Amino acid sequence: MSSAEERVNAMRGYKATLNNPRVSDEAKRNAQSMLDQLGGSQPSEDLYNQSGESNKDPMRVNAGLKAASHNPNVSEQGRQNAAERVDNPEE
């Protein structure tokens, strides 16, 4: 696997194997071995670092902040923070 995205996708498959109750213990051991070879959480960290904050669409970020500021399942402090950031999402 060459790119971080390909490694993360492979890891997803191996993690699914580990959590599938219909998979044999041997297959789970193999999946764990492959996960270890792929570098633990490093590929997903690489993928996150590649994408960075600059690739986020400001309109979508703003929409998410507006949604969070009106969501009753978000804490009061979280709603206030989101409301303050609605027009300044980079803070």
Side-chain angles (χ1 to χ4, degrees):
M1 305 267 150
S2 58
S3 77
E5 185 174 5
E6 289 172 338
R7 292 186 342 189
V8 169
N9 286 337
M11 289 176 67
R12 286 181 183 130
Y14 292 126
K15 287 180 181 182
T17 298
L18 290 175
N19 292 305
N20 186 339
R22 294 185 287 175
V23 172
S24 70
D25 289 338
E26 182 180 350
K28 288 182 180 185
R29 283 191 299 272
N30 182 47
Q32 184 61 55
S33 173
M34 293 303 293
L35 278 172
D36 295 341
Q37 289 177 13
L38 287 171
S41 63
Q42 188 61 39
S44 58
E45 291 170 8
D46 290 346
L47 185 60
Y48 176 77
N49 291 335
Q50 279 180 344
S51 65
E53 292 287 327
S54 63
N55 290 339
K56 293 186 178 180
D57 180 3
M59 184 181 295
R60 301 307 333 139
V61 171
N62 203 37
L65 291 170
K66 283 182 183 178
S69 68
H70 292 52
N71 186 338
N73 295 323
V74 174
S75 69
E76 182 62 32
Q77 182 180 7
R79 286 195 306 267
Q80 288 174 355
N81 185 25
E84 291 170 4
R85 293 181 53 202
V86 164
D87 293 319
N88 300 315
E90 295 173 5
E91 292 180 0

